[in-house]
């Protein structure tokens, strides 16, 4: 019989076990257990050395016999153990090298579930018990048991085993009153989005709170109900279309129609200047970026950036400003820009259409040179020479005519120069035949007087009475004929009404109250002074009407101003109808008669309903003979403008009183050039 040693038997057993495969699936945190089927090994304790006196050879002989006896015992023991295995079958758990198997009659089960002591286990194709994993969706715990109604974690992922042992997969699950979501593989959503929802580290769905997502490296706000905010504000923070919290960027909010800047911390910039990409921007207290406006002494443009070293047109002021490199606007000084000189007033506005010292700034702000211009503020014309300064104390020929300019630069008007030359109210030197101060003069081409004789023209006093003579020396009316002046804001603020009325023999005044949609700037002062002085007056509204509604609106404005300033006219209320057009040409007066009839009736009827029946029409003879030539208009006309020596227009309907505006440039002492009328029958 072949001799077997203990070592040989153990080796054979190990070779049989190694044929079984290890780990069907990857597991974590496994505990290593001792193999339960291995036999205990007995080791003989160490014997104490005998102290008897024995020869060396005797000792060696005895040791040899002991070893032979031990080997014989081992062989007999192994044979006996081997015979017992053949007779006994084992059923139960078997552990080897940290792997657990289950044997039935000493045969490991494979590829099947096994209910053991009312607990379910699964063994793979190698017989290994699976644990810390899913088996066909079922959750296997750390000891290999199928779990139910509980949380479990393995591979650093959380799963939830339901009542049937299956993990929740690709579904929502409310657990202990809180909502969780699970992936297809059963892993719980954590620190990640589930479509519109966000799950925190605990897996719980975020609700009414801020969350930071590391994947997107951004903050999100989760609204009540769990969905994330988008395209909306949360306090001082803005959530973009993807839910990301905006930061270090501009945001345009269509709801507020405003642009905001979200700083690095996500909050909007507020009540401050901020430099971004080399440009300065200003943000209001509520975060709106300012644009197209002044912020203190600085101007921010359409894109919100602060203007620097450039022209700016401000629509509110309807004027230009020049912004320096510092961002501050130029004020109270001259400045050369692109080889042209401009003057900026104390409020920063570019001077235009006005005198600054001896210079005149045109509508484009540039200095006038080698030209004659009219300054509305001083109500005078000037001639500006090659250096830009106005001419003074000298004659200047402009075109075909000679003009004389006084020491203050103003053109001389209606006066004698050096006692031998005469200049008219338009400044032109007299040549040919003219009537001046009730004398007829004949001048040569150089302005020299050739002859002089007395004539009657204009307002003439005879025998203590005053009469009016037309340009043909024909007397019109009688001593009761009235001298009537009309004024508007074009005459500026009139502070000397009493002396103007007295020194110029003014009998009555027609005051412009305004024009379509606007009040005359000096209406309040003019009405107050005329009421105070007891001067008879009428009023008129200049119309830009093009529809019946405009006519109604004009009437309502008239009524409003009458009430506001306690206007009590003794002369009629006039509707001033002319061939108007906007300065930019974008709109012009109606050209058809029917439209004007409708407009007039709308104005007249609205005034009548308010109790005002003494309402009339003012216009000039050309319009009355053409587009206004209709009975419904003409029978209300009693004030006609015609700047001709004689009025050749006959009123088609008789009026108890009527006026002829014969001049638009009559000189009035203390006021300047005005429109003047002669009034009959009043």
């Amino acid at each position: 019989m072949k001799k077997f040693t203990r070592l040989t038997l153990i080796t054979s057993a190990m070779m049989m076990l190694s044929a079984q495969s290890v780990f069907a699936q990857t597991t974590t945190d496994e505990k290593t257990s001792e193999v339960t089927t291995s036999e205990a090994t007995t080791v003989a304790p160490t014997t104490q050395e005998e102290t008897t006196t024995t020869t060396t050879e005797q000792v060696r002989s005895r040791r040899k016999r002991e070893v032979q006896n031990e080997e014989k015992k081992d062989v007999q023991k192994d044979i006996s153990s081997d015979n017992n295995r053949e007779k006994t079958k084992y059923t139960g758990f078997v552990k080897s090298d940290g792997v657990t198997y289950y044997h039935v009659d000493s045969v490991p089960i494979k590829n099947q579930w096994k209910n053991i002591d009312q607990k379910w286990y699964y063994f793979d194709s190698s017989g290994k018990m699976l644990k810390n994993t899913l088996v066909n969706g079922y959750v296997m715990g750390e000891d290999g048991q199928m779990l139910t109604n509980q949380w479990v974690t393995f591979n650093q992922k959380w799963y939830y085993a339901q009542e049937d042992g299956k993990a929740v997969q690709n579904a929502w699950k409310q657990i202990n009153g809180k909502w969780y979501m699970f992936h297809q593989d059963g892993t719980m959503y954590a620190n990640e989005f589930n479509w519109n929802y966000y799950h925190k580290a605990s897996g719980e769905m975020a609700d009414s709170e801020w969350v930071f997502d590391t994947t997107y490296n951004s903050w999100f706000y989760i609204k009540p109900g769990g969905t994330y905010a988008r395209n909306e504000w949360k306090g001082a923070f803005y959530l973009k279309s993807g839910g990301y919290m905006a930061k270090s960027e501009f945001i345009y909010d269509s709801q507020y129609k405003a642009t905001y800047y979200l700083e690095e911390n996500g909050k909007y910039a507020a009540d401050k200047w901020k430099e971004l990409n080399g440009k300065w921007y200003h943000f209001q207290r509520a975060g709106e970026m300012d644009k197209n406006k002044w912020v203190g002494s600085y101007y921010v443009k359409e894109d919100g950036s602060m203007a620097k070293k450039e022209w700016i047109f401000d629509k509110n002021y309807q004027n230009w400003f020049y912004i320096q490199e510092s961002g501050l606007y130029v004020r109270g000084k001259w400045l050369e820009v692109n080889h042209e000189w401009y003057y900026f007033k104390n409020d920063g506005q570019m001077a235009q259409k006005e005198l600054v010292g001896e210079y005149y700034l045109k509508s484009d702000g540039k200095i006038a040179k080698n030209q004659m211009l009219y300054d509305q503020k001083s109500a005078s014309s000037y001639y500006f020479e090659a250096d830009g300064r106005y001419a003074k104390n000298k004659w200047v020929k402009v075109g075909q005519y000679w003009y004389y300019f006084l020491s203050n630069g103003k053109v001389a008007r209606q006066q004698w120069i050096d006692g031998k030359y005469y200049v008219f109210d338009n400044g032109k030197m007299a040549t040919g035949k003219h009537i001046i101060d009730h004398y007829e003069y004949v001048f040569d081409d150089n302005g020299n007087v050739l002859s002089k004789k007395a004539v009657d023209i204009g307002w003439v006093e005879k025998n203590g009475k005053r009469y009016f003579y037309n340009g043909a020396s024909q007397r019109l009316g009688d001593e009761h004929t009235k001298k009537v002046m009309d004024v508007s804001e074009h005459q500026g603020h009139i502070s000397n009404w009493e002396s103007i009325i007295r020194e110029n023999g003014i009998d009555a005044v027609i005051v412009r109250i305004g024009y379509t949609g606007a009040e005359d700037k000096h209406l309040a002062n003019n009405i107050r002074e005329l009421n105070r002085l007891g001067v008879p007056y009428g009023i008129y509204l200049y119309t830009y009407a093009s529809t019946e509604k405009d006519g109604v609106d004009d009437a309502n404005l008239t009524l409003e101003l009458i009430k506001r300033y306690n206007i009590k006219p003794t002369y009629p209320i006039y509707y001033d109808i002319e061939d108007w057009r906007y300065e930019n040409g974008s709109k012009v007066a109606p050209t058809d008669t029917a439209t004007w009839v409708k407009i007039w009736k709308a104005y007249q009827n609205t005034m009548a309903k308010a109790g005002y029946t003494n309402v009339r029409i003012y216009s000039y003879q050309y319009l009355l003979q053409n587009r206004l030539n209709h009975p419904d208009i003409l029978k209300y006309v009693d004030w006609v403008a015609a700047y001709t020596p004689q009025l050749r227009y006959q009123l088609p309907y008789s009026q108890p009183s009527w006026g002829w505006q014969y001049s638009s440039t009559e000189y009035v002492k203390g006021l300047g050039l005005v429109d003047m009328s002669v009034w009959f029958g009043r």
Side-chain angles (χ1 to χ4, degrees):
M1 182 178 176
K2 186 176 180 180
K3 184 179 180 181
F4 290 89
T5 65
R6 181 173 177 267
L7 178 61
T8 302
L9 290 172
I10 293 175
T11 303
S12 298
M14 292 298 295
M15 289 178 66
M16 182 181 66
L17 289 174
S18 66
Q20 301 178 0
S21 66
V22 185
F23 298 109
Q25 295 185 19
T26 303
T27 61
T28 60
D29 299 327
E30 287 190 22
K31 295 181 180 179
T32 304
S33 303
E34 296 293 329
V35 178
T36 59
T37 57
S38 60
E39 299 181 74
T41 302
T42 302
V43 179
T46 305
T47 58
Q48 194 176 19
E49 186 178 354
E50 298 179 5
T51 57
T52 56
T53 307
T54 309
T55 63
T56 301
E57 187 61 33
Q58 290 175 329
V59 171
R60 287 178 178 173
S61 180
R62 189 171 57 249
R63 289 288 187 189
K64 185 178 180 180
R65 286 195 302 272
E66 289 175 353
V67 171
Q68 289 175 344
N69 289 333
E70 286 293 329
E71 289 179 352
K72 187 177 181 179
K73 290 179 181 179
D74 286 342
V75 171
Q76 290 175 346
K77 185 178 180 179
D78 290 339
I79 292 172
S80 177
S81 179
D82 198 41
N83 289 333
N84 289 336
R85 287 194 187 98
E86 292 178 358
K87 294 177 182 179
T88 305
K89 303 289 186 180
Y90 176 75
T91 296
F93 289 103
V94 177
K95 293 184 179 181
S96 177
D97 292 338
V99 178
T100 302
Y101 305 84
Y102 191 82
H103 287 204
V104 177
D105 294 335
S106 299
V107 179
I109 64 175
K110 302 178 181 180
N111 288 327
Q112 62 179 287
W113 288 93
K114 183 69 175 176
N115 190 311
I116 305 171
D117 297 331
Q118 305 300 312
K119 299 176 182 178
W120 285 98
Y121 301 84
Y122 186 81
F123 301 88
D124 68 7
S125 60
S126 67
K128 181 177 70 175
M129 183 183 74
L130 299 185
K131 56 185 177 179
N132 288 334
T133 189
L134 298 186
V135 177
N136 296 327
Y138 293 90
V139 184
M140 316 309 293
E142 186 176 5
D143 58 359
Q145 298 177 33
M146 184 187 77
L147 304 177
T148 60
N149 296 322
Q150 61 181 293
W151 288 98
V152 63
T153 179
F154 40 84
N155 295 334
Q156 299 181 357
K157 299 288 187 179
W158 283 94
Y159 303 78
Y160 189 79
Q162 302 178 88
E163 187 175 359
D164 63 356
K166 278 199 169 185
V168 184
Q169 294 175 282
N170 196 32
W172 286 93
K173 180 73 174 176
Q174 189 178 36
I175 304 170
N176 297 327
K178 298 178 180 179
W179 284 99
Y180 301 84
M181 180 68 186
F182 298 84
H183 292 280
Q184 182 64 47
D185 64 357
T187 56
M188 179 191 74
Y189 275 78
N191 293 321
E192 61 186 310
F193 278 98
N194 168 29
W195 292 98
N196 295 332
Y197 303 90
Y198 190 84
H199 297 271
K200 299 182 287 184
S202 65
E204 180 185 351
M205 183 186 77
D207 188 280
S208 304
E209 59 188 296
W210 286 96
V211 298
F212 184 82
D213 186 84
T214 56
T215 301
Y216 297 104
N217 192 33
S218 177
W219 285 95
F220 297 80
Y221 183 75
I222 311 303
K223 300 190 294 184
T227 59
Y228 63 84
R230 65 182 76 187
N231 296 322
E232 60 186 283
W233 291 95
K234 177 59 182 177
F237 304 88
Y238 188 82
L239 291 312
K240 300 189 291 184
S241 59
Y244 308 91
M245 185 184 77
K247 60 180 182 178
S248 301
E249 60 186 299
F250 287 99
I251 289 292
Y252 179 78
D253 189 315
S254 58
Q255 180 180 353
Y256 294 103
K257 294 181 172 53
T259 300
Y260 301 79
Y261 184 79
L262 289 307
E263 302 195 82
E264 177 62 30
N265 61 6
K267 290 185 177 180
Y268 60 71
D271 197 23
K272 64 191 296 187
W273 284 97
K274 192 170 183 65
E275 187 179 19
L276 301 166
N277 300 322
K279 296 181 179 180
W280 284 95
Y281 301 83
H282 187 266
F283 301 90
Q284 301 176 29
R285 182 169 297 179
E288 299 97 327
M289 183 183 74
D290 286 311
K291 61 180 182 178
N292 293 326
K293 64 184 294 188
W294 292 99
V295 181
S297 297
Y298 303 89
Y299 191 86
V300 288
K301 301 180 291 184
E302 174 64 30
D303 65 355
S305 64
M306 185 176 74
K308 289 184 178 183
K309 205 173 181 181
E310 59 188 295
W311 288 97
I312 290 294
F313 183 80
D314 189 301
K315 293 181 179 179
N316 294 323
Y317 292 99
Q318 286 293 300
N319 208 339
W320 289 93
F321 297 77
Y322 190 80
I323 313 301
Q324 304 174 87
E325 178 65 32
S326 65
L328 296 171
Y329 60 83
V330 181
R331 63 173 75 184
K333 67 178 183 179
W334 289 93
L335 181 70
E336 187 180 20
V337 182
N338 296 329
H339 310 294
E340 294 284 353
W341 283 95
Y342 302 85
Y343 186 79
F344 298 90
K345 295 181 283 188
N346 289 333
D347 60 2
Q349 296 190 58
M350 180 188 74
Q352 55 184 165
K353 295 182 180 180
E354 61 185 291
L355 279 167
V356 178
E358 296 183 347
Y359 301 89
Y360 186 84
L361 288 310
K362 299 182 292 183
S363 60
D364 60 1
K366 297 178 181 179
I367 294 175
K369 296 179 181 181
N370 297 318
Q371 62 186 121
M372 185 173 175
L373 293 170
Y374 180 80
D375 176 51
Q376 188 170 349
K377 185 177 181 180
S378 62
S380 180
S381 294
Y382 298 79
Y383 185 83
F384 299 93
E385 302 189 274
D387 62 356
R389 292 183 171 87
Y390 57 63
K392 49 188 174 183
N393 298 320
K394 65 190 297 187
W395 288 97
V396 178
K397 190 175 185 180
V398 182
Q400 299 178 357
Y401 303 98
W402 284 94
Y403 300 83
Y404 188 82
F405 296 92
L406 305 173
S407 59
N408 59 6
K410 294 183 178 181
V411 67
R413 298 185 299 188
Q414 288 187 316
Q415 67 185 86
W416 292 93
I417 306 298
D418 299 332
K420 57 185 296 188
Y421 303 97
Y422 188 82
V423 290
F424 299 115
D425 58 1
N426 60 8
K428 294 179 181 178
M429 184 187 71
T431 59
K433 184 187 292 186
H434 298 281
I435 297 173
I436 303 169
D437 297 331
H438 311 295
Y439 288 92
E440 181 183 87
Y441 291 87
V442 178
F443 300 89
D444 65 16
D445 292 341
N446 295 317
N448 298 301
V449 177
L450 299 178
S451 62
K452 173 185 177 184
K453 67 177 182 179
V455 295
D456 291 325
I457 297 290
W459 297 94
V460 180
E461 285 195 22
K462 291 186 177 184
N463 301 319
K465 297 180 180 180
R466 188 184 65 180
Y467 301 91
F468 179 78
Y469 293 84
N470 64 19
S473 296
Q474 299 170 328
R475 194 181 83 180
L476 304 180
D478 55 22
E479 68 272 20
H480 302 294
T481 299
K482 307 297 184 187
K483 187 177 184 181
V484 179
M485 173 179 73
D486 70 85
V487 297
S488 69
E489 63 189 37
H490 297 298
Q491 280 69 51
H493 179 79
I494 303 173
S495 59
N496 55 336
W497 267 109
E498 186 173 3
S499 63
I500 288 173
I501 297 297
R502 182 181 63 252
E503 295 178 14
N504 294 281
I506 304 299
D507 296 305
V509 180
I510 309 294
V511 181
R512 189 182 82 162
I513 62 173
Y515 54 89
T516 298
E519 175 186 332
D520 190 281
K521 294 179 181 178
H522 298 293
L523 173 62
N525 174 69
N526 291 336
I527 295 297
R528 182 176 60 251
E529 288 298 289
L530 293 174
N531 283 339
R532 182 179 68 84
L533 296 171
V535 177
Y537 65 88
I539 60 174
Y540 73 95
L541 181 90
Y542 186 99
T543 183
Y544 286 103
S546 59
T547 65
E548 288 183 79
K549 182 181 181 304
D550 293 337
V552 174
D553 292 341
D554 282 346
N556 288 330
L557 176 60
T558 302
L559 294 170
E560 178 186 340
L561 296 175
I562 289 174
K563 182 179 180 180
R564 183 182 301 169
Y565 298 111
N566 190 29
I567 296 174
K568 299 177 180 179
T570 53
Y571 278 65
I573 298 170
Y574 286 97
Y575 199 40
D576 185 354
I577 302 176
E578 301 185 31
D579 188 20
W580 59 265
R581 66 174 49 242
Y582 288 176
E583 288 185 1
N584 61 10
S586 62
K587 197 172 183 180
V588 298
T591 58
D592 62 296
T593 303
T595 298
W596 276 116
V597 171
K598 293 177 181 179
I599 293 171
W600 161 245
K601 284 185 174 293
Y603 183 87
Q604 182 190 37
N605 292 336
T606 305
M607 295 297 295
K609 289 179 181 178
Y612 294 92
T613 57
N614 191 19
V615 181
R616 297 290 186 267
I617 293 174
Y618 163 92
S619 193
Y620 46 90
Q621 63 178 10
Y622 177 78
L623 277 183
L624 295 171
Q625 292 170 335
N626 292 276
R627 69 180 68 168
L628 300 183
N629 189 9
H630 191 279
D632 289 341
I633 290 179
L634 296 179
K635 61 185 176 183
Y636 297 100
V637 174
D638 66 4
W639 188 15
V640 180
Y643 309 134
T644 55
Q646 297 173 273
L647 177 63
R648 302 189 182 279
Y649 179 77
Q650 299 294 321
L651 297 182
Y653 295 88
S654 64
Q655 303 288 353
S657 66
W658 65 281
W660 169 30
Q661 190 180 88
Y662 61 87
S663 176
S664 63
T665 57
E666 183 151 326
Y667 182 77
V668 172
K669 185 178 179 181
L671 187 59
L673 302 180
V674 298
D675 295 344
M676 193 68 73
S677 298
V678 57
W679 220 273
F680 307 99
R682 187 179 289 271

